Amino acid sequence: MMLKICQFGAGRIGKIHADNIARNPRTQLVAVVDVHHEAAEALAKQHGAAVGDGLAALDGADAVVIASSTDTHADLIEAAAKAGKAIFCEKPIDLDSARVEGCLDIVAQAGVPLALGFNRRFDPSFEAVHAGIAEGRIGKVELVAITSRDPGPPPASYIRVSGGLFRDMMIHDFDIARWLLGEEPVEIYATASNLVDPAIGAEGDVDTAVVTLKTAGGAIAQISNSRRAVYGYDQRVEAFGSLGMLRAENRAATTVEYAGADGVVRDKPLHFFLERYAEAYRRELDDFIDAVLEGRAPRAGGEDGKLALLLADAAWESVKTGVPVRLSR
């Protein structure tokens, strides 16, 4: 079966998804929709697709990829669900948890698959850590440490609409923490500062944060975020357990290392997420396609998006109150 896909969004992430749709022999990009007509036209021409006219573009598709701005996600998910289309959507579903709940209700009523773009689950190194935990290689998980630091801060104009560090950036780390811990956190404590760019603070956001999560079983996860790492895109995961440890390190352009009298030197980490997670983006879309064609649930779905957002909301509450927040589902 050839899965016909309509895509909303022709920006940076949209281009990645369109390339990956074209790369998969079981899919065809049939339409591209974007409020910027020229961007939609260029991407559609590149992949032999049509320029879609709003929601009407859903008519000729079996599935939809939503890579447009965050404020359009929930409306597009609901429209696609009501039209009976399989849905892949970039995170988040929405910045408001009540809106997310309502959106997921509509998806459930329609009975269509919904995959959410938590691409880091599909990074081969992170996936190997998860598989090692599942196989019992480190015994019972006791500590998880996640480091996620951007090479530089985004502009204040982006911060203004992003939902803030916890909902925009750390939401990926909340998902990975849940995934590796294997049980839901029951308590969260967050502390944060504005150390990188005063313009971010002026928008009411933070740029440096540490969050601690604790499960009912006592396992602890710690997440470290910064909007600035002068040496590159810092992405590391460590899981420590009763029988040992699993660790995924940064990726560099090469594995060449120089050693001499003046020291040991190797390449810096890859610069940003487009390079670091290129393979993960391919694999997450392949999983969505497999899920649709095989009639199974995607590996990262709407419930994962809801729970990660609830953790982000609770982290911000903890920052504002200065105390841990108890979590309930």
Side-chain angles (χ1 to χ4, degrees), residues 201-325:
E203 293 296 336
D205 195 17
V206 296
D207 51 38
T208 308
V210 174
V211 169
T212 302
L213 304 168
K214 188 175 183 179
T215 71
I220 296 171
Q222 186 180 68
I223 301 169
S224 168
N225 272 190
S226 174
R227 291 285 193 184
R228 177 191 59 210
V230 297
Y231 48 86
Y233 192 43
D234 193 357
Q235 299 283 293
R236 291 172 280 142
V237 163
E238 178 182 292
F240 174 85
S242 56
L243 298 179
M245 178 180 69
L246 290 161
R247 183 167 59 205
E249 293 288 353
N250 280 315
R251 286 193 180 186
T254 76
T255 60
V256 175
E257 184 175 270
Y258 162 79
D262 52 347
V264 178
V265 180
R266 58 184 177 181
D267 285 350
K268 295 188 296 185
L270 293 172
H271 180 66
F272 209 19
F273 70 94
L274 297 176
E275 301 96 331
R276 171 63 179 82
Y277 289 115
E279 186 174 2
Y281 280 116
R282 290 194 294 271
R283 296 178 76 219
E284 73 169 351
L285 189 68
D286 287 346
D287 178 74
F288 169 64
I289 295 162
D290 289 344
V292 174
L293 296 180
E294 295 169 8
R296 63 167 174 83
R299 283 167 47 194
E303 187 72 6
D304 297 306
K306 181 186 81 171
L307 293 174
L309 181 63
L310 290 175
L311 289 174
D313 290 344
W316 188 237
E317 180 183 347
S318 180
V319 168
K320 290 188 292 184
T321 61
V323 297
V325 174

Side-chain angles (χ1 to χ4, degrees), residues 14-36:
K15 290 175 183 176
I16 291 172
H17 289 314
D19 287 348
N20 289 331
I21 292 169
R23 186 178 284 110
N24 193 303
R26 299 163 298 166
T27 57
Q28 178 187 1
L29 184 63
V30 295
V32 177
V33 183
D34 196 290
V35 292
H36 301 289

Side-chain angles (χ1 to χ4, degrees), residues 53-76:
D53 183 15
L55 294 177
L58 292 170
D59 293 343
D62 307 304
V64 60
V65 167
I66 300 171
S68 47
S69 60
T70 294
D71 60 346
T72 67
H73 289 184
D75 287 342
L76 289 173

Side-chain angles (χ1 to χ4, degrees), residues 33-300:
V33 183
D34 196 290
V35 292
H36 301 289
H37 185 80
E38 291 179 358
E41 195 171 54
L43 193 60
K45 182 178 180 181
Q46 179 183 347
H47 295 293
V51 177
D53 183 15
L55 294 177
L58 292 170
D59 293 343
D62 307 304
V64 60
V65 167
I66 300 171
S68 47
S69 60
T70 294
D71 60 346
T72 67
H73 289 184
D75 287 342
L76 289 173
I77 288 172
E78 291 175 357
K82 290 174 182 177
K85 311 301 181 182
I87 306 160
F88 175 95
C89 184
E90 273 299 325
K91 63 83 189 165
I93 295 170
D94 194 81
L95 296 175
D96 180 77
S97 57
R99 181 76 169 93
V100 171
E101 286 275 11
C103 187
L104 294 183
D105 286 344
I106 290 174
V107 171
Q109 292 166 14
V112 296
L114 168 61
L116 204 64
F118 282 137
N119 62 298
R120 296 182 191 183
R121 289 191 183 209
F122 299 90
D123 174 75
S125 297
F126 292 177
E127 194 170 21
V129 172
H130 182 263
I133 292 171
E135 293 163 6
R137 293 186 66 192
I138 62 170
K140 177 176 170 50
V141 175
E142 297 169 351
L143 288 167
V144 169
I146 301 171
T147 300
S148 181
R149 299 168 185 153
D150 287 354
S157 58
Y158 175 81
I159 296 295
R160 194 172 302 133
V161 299
S162 70
L165 181 142
F166 295 114
R167 297 184 186 95
D168 170 56
M169 180 179 176
M170 196 180 288
I171 196 166
H172 280 289
D173 305 309
F174 288 132
D175 180 65
I176 291 296
R178 292 183 54 246
W179 187 53
L180 295 181
L181 286 168
E183 57 178 325
E184 297 301 329
V186 297
E187 183 179 275
I188 184 169
Y189 174 71
T191 185
S193 297
N194 181 226
L195 302 174
V196 176
D197 185 352
I200 292 176
E203 293 296 336
D205 195 17
V206 296
D207 51 38
T208 308
V210 174
V211 169
T212 302
L213 304 168
K214 188 175 183 179
T215 71
I220 296 171
Q222 186 180 68
I223 301 169
S224 168
N225 272 190
S226 174
R227 291 285 193 184
R228 177 191 59 210
V230 297
Y231 48 86
Y233 192 43
D234 193 357
Q235 299 283 293
R236 291 172 280 142
V237 163
E238 178 182 292
F240 174 85
S242 56
L243 298 179
M245 178 180 69
L246 290 161
R247 183 167 59 205
E249 293 288 353
N250 280 315
R251 286 193 180 186
T254 76
T255 60
V256 175
E257 184 175 270
Y258 162 79
D262 52 347
V264 178
V265 180
R266 58 184 177 181
D267 285 350
K268 295 188 296 185
L270 293 172
H271 180 66
F272 209 19
F273 70 94
L274 297 176
E275 301 96 331
R276 171 63 179 82
Y277 289 115
E279 186 174 2
Y281 280 116
R282 290 194 294 271
R283 296 178 76 219
E284 73 169 351
L285 189 68
D286 287 346
D287 178 74
F288 169 64
I289 295 162
D290 289 344
V292 174
L293 296 180
E294 295 169 8
R296 63 167 174 83
R299 283 167 47 194

